Amino acid sequence: MAASHSTPGLILAERQTPFWQNENVRAFALFMLSLGIFLLFWEIGAKSGWFVKGVPTATETIREFWWWVTNPFFDNGPNDLGIGWNLLISLRRVAIGYVAASLVAVPLGILIGISPVAFKAFNPYIQLLKPISPLAWLPLGLYLLRDSEKTGIFIIFISSIWPTLINTTFGVANVNQEYLDVSKTLGASRLRTIWKVIIPAALPNIVSGLRISMGIAWLVIVAAEMLLGTGLGYFIWNEWNNLSIPNILVAIFIIGLTGLVLDSLFAALEKFVAFGRNS
């Protein structure tokens, strides 16, 4: 009886827990505190000469950041575009190269995952090409394609294909054998087994690969664009030539925020297809 009476009391105590003891509230408070300390250190350090000469203060950088995000779409020529246009150019290149890589990586990963012969045939290519730095492909892309736009897309394609390919292969190859046995017992065809059993079971791994590939694609495009004439990478390089450190920091913050948004979208998709694995 004592145990039965204690349960409502525990529930009431949980409901009466002060909001500042909530884990999310405390995490947000810690984040804001650490951010405030960082900005204060940055401000004092820049004004006091703790850093190298020319480092802008935090307030100066925030002021520049506000100006760029409130005036994102001006166009004064190819070398003087608003940060919004440069962001859209980078996102367009990433989207085209990333989608093309995904359309190749997912079907090929399924083939390699279900076929030991295909795995042994294609694995040497994967292990050979996977470690190559994306920027090592840049001169070759410029030489073969003779177009900076196509070269940027090519770099995204060749860089983002591997995580999706490897994760898809792993997910398909490690589908629970019991699922396959049941499908075979029910008389399902090979194609139907792939669509109804293998792909749904491997989907969490596939989405994880897509998430990693997107992170790599967004990482690589900024470096590649420093030689391509437009986009956030070129914006950073152009501002470096103008010795405008605040604008470089603004672009870095925008790159980071965009990457955070993209990763959050894939994290939500990854959670959606987890089929209760995280519970």
Side-chain angles (χ1 to χ4, degrees):
M1 294 295 291
S4 62
H5 285 296
S6 62
T7 301
L10 289 174
I11 297 175
L12 182 61
E14 290 178 358
R15 290 178 178 175
Q16 292 177 347
T17 301
F19 79 95
W20 60 82
Q21 293 185 10
N22 182 276
E23 182 178 305
N24 293 331
V25 173
R26 293 166 65 188
F28 179 74
L30 180 59
F31 166 74
M32 294 302 296
L33 176 62
S34 61
L35 179 61
I37 293 173
F38 170 73
L39 292 176
L40 182 62
F41 173 78
W42 180 5
E43 184 75 16
I44 295 175
K47 288 183 176 180
S48 303
W50 295 350
F51 314 130
V52 295
K53 185 179 179 181
V55 173
T57 63
T59 52
E60 181 183 356
T61 304
I62 292 172
R63 186 164 55 246
E64 285 295 317
F65 179 82
W66 179 253
W67 187 89
W68 282 102
V69 298
T70 53
N71 300 276
F73 293 112
F74 65 83
D75 185 352
N76 296 327
N79 293 327
D80 191 11
L81 294 175
I83 198 77
W85 289 123
N86 284 291
L87 175 60
L88 291 177
I89 290 170
S90 296
L91 287 172
R92 184 192 69 220
R93 287 172 176 155
V94 167
I96 296 173
Y98 173 80
V99 169
S102 301
L103 291 176
V104 173
V106 173
L108 185 59
I110 294 172
L111 172 64
I112 296 174
I114 63 178
S115 172
V117 174
F119 177 82
K120 293 178 180 179
F122 288 103
N123 189 56
Y125 293 106
I126 298 173
Q127 300 307 321
L128 176 67
L129 298 175
K130 180 185 64 174
I132 298 175
S133 169
L135 295 184
W137 295 101
L138 186 56
L140 184 62
L142 287 171
Y143 177 77
L144 294 175
L145 301 174
R146 307 296 174 94
D147 183 90
S148 61
E149 183 73 17
K150 293 178 181 178
T151 300
I153 294 171
F154 167 73
I155 297 300
I156 294 301
F157 174 86
I158 202 67
S159 304
S160 60
I161 191 173
W162 309 117
T164 301
L165 178 59
I166 293 170
N167 272 44
T168 301
T169 301
F170 176 82
V172 169
N174 287 276
V175 172
N176 193 320
Q177 185 61 41
E178 294 180 358
Y179 300 163
L180 302 179
D181 292 341
V182 170
S183 177
K184 186 176 181 180
T185 301
L186 295 175
S189 65
R190 186 63 169 167
L191 184 60
R192 186 172 181 82
T193 299
I194 292 173
W195 277 107
K196 297 296 185 179
V197 178
I198 294 177
I199 292 179
L203 197 55
N205 292 97
I206 296 173
V207 174
S208 294
L210 291 170
R211 181 182 181 183
I212 298 171
S213 290
M214 174 53 73
I216 292 176
W218 188 241
L219 178 72
V220 168
I221 190 60
V222 175
E225 283 179 339
M226 290 186 177
L227 300 176
L228 297 183
T230 53
L232 288 174
Y234 180 76
F235 177 88
I236 291 176
W237 187 251
N238 193 47
E239 295 305 317
W240 163 248
N241 290 331
N242 296 329
L243 294 179
S244 180
I245 305 302
N247 288 344
I248 294 175
L249 292 173
V250 167
I252 290 174
F253 293 151
I254 290 176
I255 291 167
L257 289 172
T258 305
L260 176 63
V261 171
L262 292 174
D263 187 72
S264 298
L265 292 174
F266 276 91
L269 179 60
E270 198 173 24
K271 185 177 181 180
F272 178 76
V273 302
F275 303 123
R277 292 186 182 185
N278 297 328
S279 60

